[in-house]
């Protein structure tokens, strides 16, 4: 199971729909210079936790080896979706030089309430490059945090977004505490997760 299509769907919708343009730095080096430290990407799933994320061992891996591992994990997830112990592959974050992914094993923590975990086994570090971001399908997510859309970047506070876009026409509460969506008359929607911008949709 890969994190990108499910857990980052809002962030991924943003760049291809941004009024026909995709914010693209002149080079991957230009993009890297805009990141000053590790940026953790939220998973955006209610009821899903990732125990062990702060203590899991880290392992450097080549791009080819990491892609092979992801494919192996995705094949396993397709064969045994959400079975106890099935592995999942997730995009964890990035910094100037590195893309971070983690591998977790599925675990139902409380069936009645629907609490589910991916217990993190290890964090995979892959050297950052335009090719790596493209092959893992995370370039739009990284660009949202580093370049932004219509002046809105990942990690902005509601007040910072308001300074760029103005006040929203309406606010829609999400299930997760601290999560809500600002809607604008032009079709723009900004998702806040833990009270910071985590995604944007532009029509």
């Amino acid at each position: 199971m890969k994190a990108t299509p499910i857990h980052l769907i809002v962030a991924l919708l943003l760049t291809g729909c941004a009024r026909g343009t995709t914010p693209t730095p002149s080079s991957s080096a230009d993009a890297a210079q805009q990141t000053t430290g590790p940026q953790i990407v939220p998973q955006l799933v209610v009821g899903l936790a990732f125990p062990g994320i702060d203590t899991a061992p880290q392992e450097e891996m080549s791009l080819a080896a990491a892609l092979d591992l992801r494919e192996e994990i995705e094949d396993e997830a397709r064969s045994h979706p959400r079975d106890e112990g099935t592995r999942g592959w997730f995009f964890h974050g990035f910094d100037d030089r590195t893309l971070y992914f983690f591998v977790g094993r599925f675990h139902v923590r409380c069936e009645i309430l629907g609490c589910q975990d991916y217990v993190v086994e290890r964090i995979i570090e892959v050297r950052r490059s335009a090719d790596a971001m493209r092959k893992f399908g995370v370039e739009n997510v990284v660009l949202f945090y580093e370049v932004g859309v219509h002046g809105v970047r990942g990690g902005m506070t509601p007040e910072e977004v308001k300074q760029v876009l103005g006040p929203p026409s309406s606010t829609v509460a999400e299930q997760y505490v601290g999560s809500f969506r600002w809607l604008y008359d032009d079709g723009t929607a900004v998702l806040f997760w833990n009270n910071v911008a985590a995604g944007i949709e532009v029509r």
Side-chain angles (χ1 to χ4, degrees), residues 74-140:
E74 289 179 342
D75 287 343
E76 178 181 310
R78 279 189 290 268
S79 302
H80 307 282
R82 296 292 177 109
D83 285 355
E84 185 72 24
T86 297
R87 291 180 298 173
W89 175 273
F90 300 86
F91 181 39
H92 183 47
F94 61 93
D95 59 26
D96 294 350
R97 297 187 177 94
T98 308
L99 301 175
Y100 299 90
F101 303 90
F102 65 84
V103 177
R105 287 193 181 272
F106 184 71
H107 171 63
V108 177
R109 183 168 15 102
C110 46
E111 290 199 23
I112 295 177
L113 297 177
C115 308
Q116 301 174 342
D117 294 338
Y118 272 93
V119 181
V120 180
E121 292 187 333
R122 54 178 167 160
I123 295 175
I124 307 298
E125 301 179 5
V126 179
R127 182 177 179 83
R128 175 176 167 165
S129 67
D131 188 43
M133 290 192 293
R134 178 179 58 79
K135 287 181 176 177
F136 280 111
V138 300
E139 53 191 348
N140 286 349

Side-chain angles (χ1 to χ4, degrees), residues 143-161:
L143 286 173
F144 175 52
Y145 282 88
E146 295 186 334
V147 178
V149 172
H150 296 336
V152 176
R153 295 189 311 278
M156 279 185 165
T157 65
E159 186 59 36
E160 289 172 328
V161 173

